[in-house]
Amino acid sequence: MRDWQLSRTFASRSGKVSWEALGDPSAPPVVLLHGTPFSSYVWRAVARSLAQRFHVFVWDMPGYGSSEKHEGQDVSLAAQGRIFRDLLDHWDLTEPLVVAHDFGGAVALRAHLLHDARYRRLALVDPVALAPWGSPFFRLVGDHSEVFAQLPPALHRALVQEYIASASHPGLHPTTSDRLVAPWLGEQGQPAFYRQITQADQRFTDEIQDRYGEIALPVLVCWGEEDTWIPVARGRELASSIPGATLRLIPGAGHLVQEDAPAELTTAVLDFLAVDG
């Protein structure tokens, strides 16, 4: 899994986006969206499994992973929703299957409700979708990002490492932890980490939360039962707010379900995506 690379690029309105496609181009398309502070790397196992039956698209949002990071960059949920809509046009996907985790859930929902992105089916995995959200740590960093951005590199690395580790219930393999932390290090990565937290404003989900009842497509809500970032009660609330949505809980998994229970999550997603395909 160390060879996970995104070899293609798209010039978005917020900078270069790295992306990749796996599987048979003639198969039904599936797009995977990551959350924060992650990247497409968290989807590697699920993506490779889905690629046996689907044409799978993965991407790193601007400001994340291997995509461009720069000062003054707009990496807000508003920008990411518009960019995702642009990417669907770039890929010539008119009605793909979509699987979205964490902030990626908000991105997919905004693109659908505000920018007319059409999906065949939508699977939301521990998404950021309902107020209130943002941990005490998240709010603290957001309020004092300029101070945190000046931390010595070693302290910054330790902070990011502990923060990412808290998303997993059983704990992350050291190699996986290093790979998830790496994009946030160095002269570009460290300020980018605090930039994305500073721009994470709840108003971007407030704008769409009252419209979830308008969603008229099959929706699966997956949730790690041990999620300490967003409690499972939010999953139940979200599923009840979307007409016909199905809730599926993943035992033993925290917020980072792709790492904690990749086989169980893949099974749940496959069961849902393959219903009419």
Side-chain angles (χ1 to χ4, degrees):
M1 296 302 182
R2 296 180 182 179
D3 62 345
W4 184 256
Q5 300 288 337
L6 307 185
S7 65
R8 313 186 201 187
T9 61
F10 168 70
S12 84
R13 59 186 80 192
S14 285
K16 183 197 73 176
V17 168
S18 297
W19 67 275
E20 192 58 80
L22 299 78
D24 184 351
S26 66
V30 177
V31 184
L32 306 179
L33 289 82
H34 68 80
T36 183
F38 311 113
S39 68
S40 63
Y41 180 73
V42 300
W43 284 120
R44 64 198 182 283
V46 177
R48 286 168 170 152
S49 295
L50 293 178
Q52 303 303 310
R53 300 178 60 177
F54 299 96
H55 192 205
V56 181
F57 293 79
V58 293
W59 61 299
D60 288 348
M61 297 182 195
Y64 293 80
S66 59
S67 289
E68 185 175 346
K69 305 174 184 70
H70 63 79
E71 184 178 355
Q73 187 177 25
D74 186 355
V75 295
S76 66
L77 284 172
Q80 306 290 7
R82 291 190 295 266
I83 290 164
F84 181 47
R85 183 67 177 85
D86 293 342
L87 263 176
L88 294 177
D89 289 340
H90 177 68
W91 293 329
D92 196 25
L93 301 180
T94 57
E95 199 170 290
L97 302 158
V98 173
V99 184
H101 175 244
D102 185 77
F103 266 30
V107 172
L109 288 166
R110 286 184 63 89
H112 178 62
L113 293 169
L114 301 180
H115 307 302
D116 300 318
R118 297 174 59 197
Y119 313 139
R120 184 174 167 188
R121 287 176 170 265
L122 173 63
L124 299 168
V125 183
D126 297 64
V128 172
L130 299 173
W133 51 265
S135 67
F137 166 80
F138 205 83
R139 292 191 293 270
L140 176 67
V141 172
D143 291 341
H144 305 283
S145 60
E146 292 184 0
V147 175
F148 279 91
Q150 297 177 53
L151 284 174
L155 289 179
H156 166 74
R157 181 190 182 101
L159 182 150
V160 176
Q161 195 164 26
E162 288 300 314
Y163 178 50
I164 288 177
S166 70
S168 169
H169 178 62
L172 297 172
H173 188 281
T175 300
T176 300
S177 176
D178 289 346
R179 185 67 183 262
L180 293 175
V181 170
W184 302 119
L185 306 179
E187 293 183 2
Q188 291 186 332
Q190 182 164 339
F193 178 78
Y194 300 107
R195 184 181 305 121
Q196 52 91 19
I197 292 180
T198 301
Q199 295 185 31
D201 196 317
Q202 184 179 292
R203 67 187 173 90
F204 295 124
T205 55
D206 289 344
E207 290 174 357
I208 58 173
Q209 182 170 332
D210 291 339
R211 297 186 57 185
Y212 295 158
E214 301 173 20
I215 298 174
L217 66 148
V219 174
L220 172 68
V221 178
C222 280
W223 220 278
E225 285 190 334
E226 306 299 330
D227 189 340
T228 59
W229 282 22
I230 312 177
V232 70
R234 294 288 174 77
R236 296 188 177 95
E237 182 182 353
L238 178 62
S240 67
S241 70
I242 300 174
T246 300
L247 175 65
R248 186 153 175 175
L249 305 182
I250 310 293
H255 185 70
L256 204 50
V257 187
Q258 302 97 319
E259 300 294 344
D260 291 357
E264 293 85 346
L265 179 60
T266 300
T267 298
V269 170
L270 270 173
D271 288 348
F272 175 66
L273 298 184
V275 167
D276 52 7

